[in-house]
Amino acid sequence: MMRTRPLKVALLGCGVVGSEVARIMTTHADDLTARIGAPVELAGVAVRRPDRVREGIAPELVTTDATALVKRGDIDVVVEVIGGIEPARTLITTAFEHGASVVSANKALLAQDGAALHAAAEQHGRDLYYEAAVAGAIPLIRPLRESLAGDKINRVMGIVNGTTNFILDKMDSTGAGYQEALDEATALGYAEADPTADVEGFDAAAKAAILAGIAFHTRVRLDDVHREGMTEVTAADFASAKEMGCTIKLLAICERAGDGASVTARVHPAMIPLSHPLASVRGAYNAVFVESDAAGQLMFYGPGAGGSPTASAVLGDLVAVCRNRIGGATGPGESAYAALPVSPMGDVVTRYHISLDVADKPGVLAQVATVFAEHGVSIDTVRQSGKDGEASLVVVTHRASDAALTGTVEALRKLDTVRGVASIMRVEGE
């Protein structure tokens, strides 16, 4: 039987994503009613600048007092798309205290305080859904915590930032330098005026923390994620990658240790074979590759940002939360029972591509090989070229720990015949 009393929704934020959420709620109202089993009513919209014209939103719904809106008591669901830590954190906990469930797209807050937010939701018997916090429109959070809940996930590796993927893809396809590719991304609206959060990996690291926590049933905070940006990636790095049959992507990698006793989460540029599905992800798109015991290998692909894609994920959560509300139930909350330790980056084992500037004279290769051997790092291939007393030496290792590789590089820098370390890049996906 269709419920006639509408479910009331408070919208916090009415920017690119929020305005699209409001538009879809209005234009698809009949469909949403049919899917949920009750009408959904936009009961209020909290904004910072009330004088701005917001097409399709009644002026009387607009308020600057977000706290009063979430405290009303008749609100069923609060949709938070303002971002940042505060006031979002206080508004969400206040919403729980006053009987509302929450749908959020706030990756930074969830990565930092997800455990506390889940605890508050559980305390008050309410839902906390956040599909839109990672990879935009791509269904990822719900498959990890529901569809694969009976499986053992071993690795989650993906491209979770469209801006960085656009830049690296442009460098790969056109030979452009980093700054040139960034300027194009900015002109096209893919990069913010201050792109630091994207290009230095902060955005991807927050998403990695969320993904790792869900995949491994372990609390993983932003501070647990090793982060490296991509501003030092050069056209020469892409040339080296192509010689290896690879390209370069900024990857978020969450993986379980071989013995299953710990997990790691990291974000950094990496060479990836062209044969790997992630290598073909172009432009501003996102993709996440999941490896599990029973399901095997899965890949989720699609637009990872933007008003409409992100609003799609928000509305999907809204429908689920409203259905739970009608049924008097709540969906899955935090699952952190495994409580696995998060290992430091030094314990991570992978392959490496190291480019050295060396003196072009006999014995250099032997010296370099000796250093690798002394630090327990096995060499897979070596390529040397040069003239006029200077040379380039490219070493690709077998799998080695980050700590062992760091010690190797420190020792190499002390050799008189090594002029400098041009680049170090991990090789993933093999």
Side-chain angles (χ1 to χ4, degrees):
M1 181 180 293
M2 181 71 70
R3 166 177 151 162
T4 57
R5 185 179 74 80
L7 291 156
K8 294 189 176 183
V9 177
L11 179 60
L12 308 183
C14 199
V16 173
V17 175
S19 59
E20 190 65 8
V21 169
R23 184 192 69 78
I24 295 174
M25 286 185 63
T26 301
T27 58
H28 295 181
D30 291 343
D31 286 336
L32 291 173
T33 297
R35 294 167 190 173
I36 291 169
V40 180
E41 174 189 312
L42 187 59
V45 182
V47 300
R48 286 184 298 174
R49 293 182 286 274
D51 297 333
R52 179 179 296 177
V53 176
R54 292 173 172 85
E55 186 177 348
I57 298 177
E60 61 268 22
L61 294 180
V62 177
T63 179
T64 57
D65 194 344
T67 301
L69 179 58
V70 300
K71 282 184 173 181
R72 274 177 38 174
D74 64 335
I75 299 298
D76 294 288
V77 184
V78 169
V79 174
E80 183 272 309
V81 288
I82 56 178
I85 306 302
E86 287 291 359
R89 174 171 48 199
T90 298
L91 290 170
I92 289 174
T93 55
T94 302
F96 292 141
E97 292 166 1
H98 288 78
S101 291
V102 173
V103 172
S104 176
N106 196 331
K107 55 187 171 287
L109 177 58
L110 288 159
Q112 178 172 306
D113 288 321
L117 295 178
H118 275 293
E122 183 177 2
Q123 177 186 352
H124 297 285
R126 294 295 176 251
D127 275 323
L128 173 62
Y129 276 49
Y130 44 91
E131 186 67 65
V134 180
I138 303 172
L140 185 58
I141 300 298
R142 196 170 292 120
L144 286 178
R145 73 176 185 175
E146 296 181 34
S147 303
L148 296 172
D151 205 345
K152 179 184 177 183
I153 297 173
N154 297 310
R155 197 174 205 226
V156 179
M157 179 171 74
I159 299 161
V160 295
N161 184 280
T163 300
T164 56
N165 199 59
F166 178 89
I167 292 169
L168 292 173
D169 182 39
K170 188 61 61 173
M171 293 175 69
D172 185 26
S173 60
T174 68
Y178 166 76
Q179 189 60 51
E180 182 183 353
L182 172 59
D183 290 344
E184 183 173 350
T186 304
L188 291 172
Y190 291 127
E192 301 286 347
D194 180 0
T196 302
D198 294 325
V199 300
E200 293 295 350
F202 290 101
D203 175 84
K207 295 170 182 176
I210 295 169
L211 292 175
I214 296 170
F216 307 131
H217 304 279
T218 291
R219 287 178 179 169
V220 179
R221 289 171 50 89
L222 181 58
D223 292 345
D224 295 322
V225 182
H226 175 83
R227 176 195 55 79
E228 297 174 26
M230 47 159 278
T231 57
E232 301 301 317
V233 177
T234 66
D237 291 326
F238 274 100
S240 294
K242 287 182 178 179
E243 290 179 358
M244 290 181 60
C246 293
T247 188
I248 298 172
K249 300 291 187 182
L250 184 74
L251 297 178
I253 303 172
C254 314
E255 58 189 350
R256 191 186 300 268
D259 61 4
S262 64
V263 299
T264 58
R266 51 197 164 103
V267 169
H268 53 72
M271 294 183 180
I272 186 168
L274 295 176
S275 58
H276 195 282
L278 291 177
S280 61
V281 178
R282 311 301 297 270
Y285 275 69
N286 284 189
V288 177
F289 198 73
V290 178
E291 301 175 31
S292 69
D293 276 2
Q297 298 179 333
L298 306 169
M299 192 167 93
F300 301 84
Y301 168 83
S308 293
T310 306
S312 171
V314 169
L315 267 295
D317 278 352
L318 179 63
V319 168
V321 169
C322 286
R323 286 172 175 168
N324 291 342
R325 191 83 171 187
I326 292 172
T330 55
E334 182 188 33
S335 175
Y337 73 89
L340 296 171
V342 182
S343 296
M345 188 62 189
D347 292 348
V348 170
V349 176
T350 189
R351 297 180 68 205
Y352 291 87
H353 177 284
I354 306 103
S355 180
L356 305 171
D357 294 326
V358 299
D360 186 16
K361 62 181 185 181
V364 173
L365 179 56
Q367 285 186 322
V368 169
T370 298
V371 170
F372 275 88
E374 288 173 347
H375 289 81
V377 179
S378 175
I379 294 175
D380 182 17
T381 62
V382 177
R383 186 176 67 254
Q384 184 173 5
S385 62
K387 60 181 180 179
D388 300 328
E390 298 296 329
S392 174
L393 188 64
V394 175
V395 178
V396 179
T397 74
H398 288 291
R399 291 173 63 83
S401 72
D402 187 82
L405 195 283
T406 298
T408 302
V409 172
E410 290 176 355
L412 288 171
R413 293 183 193 277
K414 296 176 182 178
L415 294 178
D416 292 338
T417 51
V418 174
R419 311 296 192 216
V421 180
S423 70
I424 304 170
M425 191 157 302
R426 298 172 183 89
V427 182
E428 301 285 350
E430 294 185 317

